[in-house]
Amino acid sequence: MASHAYIKLVPSSEKEIISTDEVKELFHYFKEITLKTGTQVDWKYNEAAFPYEIKEKPEGKGKWFYLHSDHDRYHAILLGVDKETVREEDGSERNQTYIQITLPDSATFGDKGKANEFCRFLAKKLKGELHLFNGRIMYFYPRK
């Protein structure tokens, strides 16, 4: 059964709206910093650290894409961006953007570990609210 994690962009987040293209840019940035780590330790760390590449199907253009790996321990991680309506404490409603990370049925334990790592990176970078695969919540935004 597929499992999901969510990064919710709350009012005190870095951004309140994000597109799939911006998530792709953050993926490339993540790959770039892992490459620099590998260069510093003189090892091909990038290939082992996050062995995925972006794949996109025409029906998912602008809504979702997936990270695919040819490595034997990894398979795929799906990422999508959507909006939901949230009711505030004062009774008003607002639209909230979130990033959904999905591990398909074919995902491995390696995929889950890498997905958790990437989720934490995204949530920290965007100062969002991370709802992990196990149901726990991590807050990366300044709380009152």
Side-chain angles (χ1 to χ4, degrees):
M1 187 165 134
S3 56
H4 311 280
Y6 302 91
I7 301 164
K8 298 185 178 192
L9 301 179
V10 296
S12 56
S13 292
E14 194 73 26
K15 297 178 168 196
E16 285 193 54
I17 298 172
I18 195 164
S19 68
T20 54
D21 290 334
E22 290 169 307
V23 175
K24 288 177 192 175
E25 286 174 23
L26 287 169
F27 169 76
H28 291 300
Y29 174 69
F30 185 70
K31 294 276 284 186
E32 182 181 314
I33 61 176
T34 57
L35 177 66
K36 286 180 182 177
T37 302
T39 304
Q40 289 173 345
V41 295
D42 195 28
W43 184 57
K44 292 184 180 176
Y45 183 68
N46 187 39
E47 294 171 17
F50 211 73
Y52 295 95
E53 57 185 59
I54 294 174
K55 302 276 184 173
E56 191 167 21
K57 294 193 175 188
E59 63 268 17
K61 192 94 172 138
K63 286 219 157 256
W64 62 271
F65 61 94
Y66 66 100
L67 305 176
H68 176 74
S69 178
D70 291 328
H71 197 277
D72 61 337
R73 294 184 185 176
Y74 308 104
H75 183 257
I77 302 170
L78 284 75
L79 290 103
V81 176
D82 205 358
K83 292 180 183 175
E84 65 183 353
T85 303
V86 177
R87 186 176 299 277
E88 297 289 333
E89 291 177 11
D90 63 0
S92 63
E93 293 183 347
R94 67 174 172 82
N95 283 333
Q96 178 173 276
T97 303
Y98 64 90
I99 301 168
Q100 179 176 335
I101 299 89
T102 302
L103 293 172
D105 294 337
S106 60
T108 65
F109 287 110
D111 288 325
K112 187 170 187 176
K114 296 301 181 185
N116 275 323
E117 184 182 346
F118 190 53
C119 286
R120 281 183 50 91
F121 168 78
L122 285 174
K124 197 172 190 179
K125 196 78 175 155
L126 297 169
K127 295 183 181 167
E129 182 179 293
L130 173 58
H131 294 252
L132 292 163
F133 295 103
N134 62 8
R136 294 189 176 140
I137 301 172
M138 297 177 80
Y139 302 95
F140 290 95
Y141 59 90
R143 296 179 70 192
K144 296 177 187 174

